[in-house]
């Protein structure tokens, strides 16, 4: 039986960072176990038919000063900075992201709807209450028009639930409220001000986002990361874990970076209250279709949101606009995201056909374009569902 002071479940960025910083402290031995043959988890990159595909878009915003210094040091010379170029496609037109500050270009009736509703929230504000649901939050902050034309349809497509079931604890910087001047200016002109936390980002020039976890793993001790080592069971009372390809490992402290629901399914013994709380944890699966196309410059955009039901996907992004080196010469690549509940049965060939039809109908793909590579990367626990059952269940 192997022994370690700290056993770290999962070799993604969180697990690797834990081992790296424990090494810097120099007080405890640690061991990382990772089920894949590569590190990085959801921040990993897969090589397929000459293309490099991430697990959808993984971009570096680096707002934390320590994290920024660490990552810039790890990837010195292999990072490019980009100004965000993201859009929404609805009512047959492209409008800039975020929608709430950029309604210019929509049909006039929709622009008036959005502007009038927003101004009403400014001049006739209604109290929000201590624990609002997300639908109420949107109506109070953005007004009826913006909520009806974008916030409600897009978020219901992503979360697959009525917005009245969701809390606001998740949204923070992800749903920015623009100023009055931004909303008014963005209704009457093509506003180029970058609103939101992701107005700029960095991305590796070579190697996809995989180079970040690889750089972090390279700074660990030899043998400190065990790949192809899937956690099969954890005995919390005995402080042991059964790991495929390794056997039993005894630990003093345990760091879990697996999805909480998955960890609880592996761990015993659990009190009855914890088992009941586990049943209330919800998440959605993201079906991520990656495609390679035999044409360069299929779009000048980084990613596009699709709130309308007629498109099966909620977002599409352009990997080769992050780095040209993610595709062979003369080709482009995209990632397309579709949300499903984890127990939904999904016919991938049929879904792929509907995705390609949707990309053609909105003009992103031409009839003459040839799809030269496709790769599905399902992300089982893609989005945690922040419903009202979650806070007490997690606690």
């Amino acid at each position: 039986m192997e022994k370690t002071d700290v056993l770290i479940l999962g070799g993604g960025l969180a697990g690797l960072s834990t081992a790296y910083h424990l090494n810097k402290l120099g007080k405890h031995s640690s061991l990382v176990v990772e089920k894949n043959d590569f590190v990085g988890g959801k921040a990993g990159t897969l090589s397929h038919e000459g293309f490099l595909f991430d697990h959808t878009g993984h971009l570096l915003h680096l707002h934390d000063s320590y994290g920024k210094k660490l990552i810039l040091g790890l990837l010195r010379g292999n990072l490019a900075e980009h100004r965000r170029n993201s859009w929404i496609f609805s009512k047959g037109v492209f409008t800039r992201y975020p929608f709430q500050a950029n309604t210019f270009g929509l049909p006039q009736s929709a622009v008036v709807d959005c502007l009038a509703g927003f101004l009403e929230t400014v001049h006739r504000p209604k109290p929000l209450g201590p624990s609002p649901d997300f639908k109420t939050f949107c109506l109070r902050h953005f007004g009826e028009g913006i909520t009806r034309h974008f916030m409600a349809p897009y978020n219901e497509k992503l979360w697959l639930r009525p917005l009245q079931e969701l809390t606001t604890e998740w949204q923070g910087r992800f749903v920015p409220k623009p100023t009055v001047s931004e909303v008014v200016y963005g209704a009457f002109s093509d506003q180029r001000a970058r609103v939101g936390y992701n107005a700029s980002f960095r991305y590796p020039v070579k190697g996809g986002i995989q180079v970040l976890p690889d750089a972090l793993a390279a700074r660990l001790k030899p043998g400190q990361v065990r790949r192809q080592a899937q956690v099969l069971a954890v005995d919390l009372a005995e402080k042991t874990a059964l790991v495929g390809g390794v056997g039993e490992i005894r630990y003093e402290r345990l760091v879990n970076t697996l999805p909480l629901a998955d960890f609880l399914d592996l761990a015993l013994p659990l009190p009855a209250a914890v088992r009941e709380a586990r049943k209330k944890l919800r998440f959605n699966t993201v079906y991520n279709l990656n495609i390679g196309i035999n044409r360069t410059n299929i779009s000048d955009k980084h990613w596009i949101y699709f709130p309308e039901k007629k498109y099966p996907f909620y977002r599409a992004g352009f990997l080769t606009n992050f780095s040209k080196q993610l595709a062979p010469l003369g080709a482009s690549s995209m990632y397309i995201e579709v949300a499903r509940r984890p127990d939904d049965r999904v016919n991938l060939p049929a879904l792929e056909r509907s995705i390609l039809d949707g990309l053609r109908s909105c003009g992103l793909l031409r009839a003459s374009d040839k799809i030269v590579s496709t790769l599905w990367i399902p992300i089982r626990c893609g989005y945690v569902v922040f419903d009202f059952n979650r806070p007490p269940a997690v606690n």
Side-chain angles (χ1 to χ4, degrees):
M1 178 186 293
E2 287 198 48
K3 296 182 179 180
T4 185
D5 292 336
V6 183
L7 178 61
I8 302 166
L9 308 185
L13 292 179
L16 296 172
S17 178
T18 301
Y20 172 83
H21 288 93
L22 284 172
N23 288 355
K24 289 185 71 175
L25 291 173
K27 295 180 180 180
H28 305 285
S29 64
S30 64
L31 180 66
V32 179
V33 291
E34 166 56 47
K35 70 177 181 179
N36 293 313
D37 60 0
F38 60 92
V39 294
K42 301 303 176 288
T45 304
L46 300 181
S47 177
H48 183 70
E49 297 176 339
F51 292 84
L52 292 176
F53 295 126
D54 293 342
H55 291 60
T56 79
H58 280 266
L59 312 175
L60 299 170
H61 304 297
L62 308 184
H63 295 296
D64 174 78
S65 58
Y66 173 78
K68 180 178 180 179
K69 182 179 178 182
L70 173 63
I71 291 172
L72 292 180
L74 290 169
L75 299 183
R76 184 175 290 112
N78 191 23
L79 276 179
E81 190 163 7
H82 303 265
R83 290 194 72 198
R84 182 192 70 209
N85 186 20
S86 57
W87 296 72
I88 296 103
F89 187 79
S90 63
K91 306 184 192 308
V93 297
F94 286 101
T95 54
R96 291 187 184 274
Y97 169 88
F99 182 94
Q100 55 269 33
N102 297 285
T103 54
F104 178 75
L106 290 172
Q108 187 177 22
S109 59
V111 176
V112 170
D113 227 8
C114 293
L115 185 56
F118 182 82
L119 292 177
E120 187 171 350
T121 70
V122 175
H123 297 294
R124 296 190 186 92
K126 297 178 182 178
L128 196 56
S131 301
D133 62 75
F134 186 56
K135 179 72 172 288
T136 300
F137 172 90
C138 289
L139 289 169
R140 296 290 192 274
H141 275 74
F142 305 116
E144 198 277 335
I146 291 173
T147 299
R148 177 160 47 83
H149 290 291
F150 180 76
M151 288 295 175
Y154 178 78
N155 283 287
E156 286 170 357
K157 198 175 187 181
L158 173 64
W159 299 106
L160 305 174
R161 285 160 177 83
L163 300 190
Q164 293 90 330
E165 294 182 9
L166 301 180
T167 71
T168 60
E169 63 174 322
W170 61 274
Q171 47 92 25
R173 64 184 183 177
F174 301 111
V175 188
K177 181 173 182 177
T179 64
V180 175
S181 61
E182 287 171 335
V183 173
V184 173
Y185 189 80
F188 293 101
S189 66
D190 182 17
Q191 179 172 235
R192 295 176 180 269
R194 267 45 176 196
V195 179
Y197 78 101
N198 58 357
S200 65
F201 62 89
R202 289 179 172 89
Y203 187 84
V205 177
K206 299 178 181 179
I209 200 63
Q210 183 70 50
V211 298
L212 176 56
D214 284 350
L216 203 50
R219 284 156 176 77
L220 301 183
K221 300 172 183 177
Q224 194 172 2
V225 180
R226 301 290 179 85
R227 296 168 174 84
Q228 294 182 300
Q230 183 169 1
V231 183
L232 304 175
V234 178
D235 189 323
L236 299 173
E238 295 295 324
K239 293 188 175 183
T240 59
L242 181 62
V243 179
V246 179
E248 204 167 50
I249 301 174
R250 181 173 295 280
Y251 62 85
E252 292 300 318
R253 292 184 175 90
L254 184 72
V255 174
N256 171 60
T257 74
L258 312 180
L260 180 58
D262 291 347
F263 170 70
L264 293 173
D265 291 343
L266 298 172
L268 291 170
L270 295 178
V274 175
R275 290 197 301 271
E276 286 302 308
R278 158 64 184 93
K279 297 176 184 177
K280 297 178 181 178
L281 300 177
R282 301 283 182 265
F283 57 88
N284 287 341
T285 293
V286 172
Y287 285 87
N288 168 31
L289 175 64
N290 298 271
I291 60 174
I293 303 126
N294 69 334
R295 175 166 60 94
T296 59
N297 303 319
I298 58 173
S299 174
D300 62 346
K301 299 169 176 58
H302 288 125
W303 64 89
I304 303 166
Y305 301 93
F306 291 83
E308 296 171 327
K309 288 184 179 180
K310 62 182 177 180
Y311 300 105
F313 40 88
Y314 61 87
R315 181 166 53 197
F318 303 88
L319 288 161
T320 37
N321 289 344
F322 304 150
S323 170
K324 298 295 183 187
Q325 300 197 36
L326 297 177
L329 194 65
S332 299
S333 59
M334 292 181 64
Y335 63 92
I336 304 99
E337 299 169 81
V338 178
R340 291 289 185 269
R341 296 197 184 202
D343 296 329
D344 287 348
R345 296 183 65 180
V346 178
N347 182 330
L348 290 183
L351 181 57
E352 184 173 319
R353 287 192 295 271
S354 70
I355 287 172
L356 295 178
D357 287 345
L359 293 174
R360 293 186 185 103
S361 71
C362 71
L364 289 176
L365 290 183
R366 301 171 183 169
S368 59
D369 284 336
K370 182 180 179 182
I371 307 301
V372 295
S373 181
T374 60
L375 179 66
W376 281 102
I377 306 179
I379 304 171
R380 178 176 168 271
C381 188
Y383 281 98
V384 170
V385 174
F386 290 83
D387 60 19
F388 283 92
N389 289 322
R390 182 181 176 276
V394 169
N395 289 339

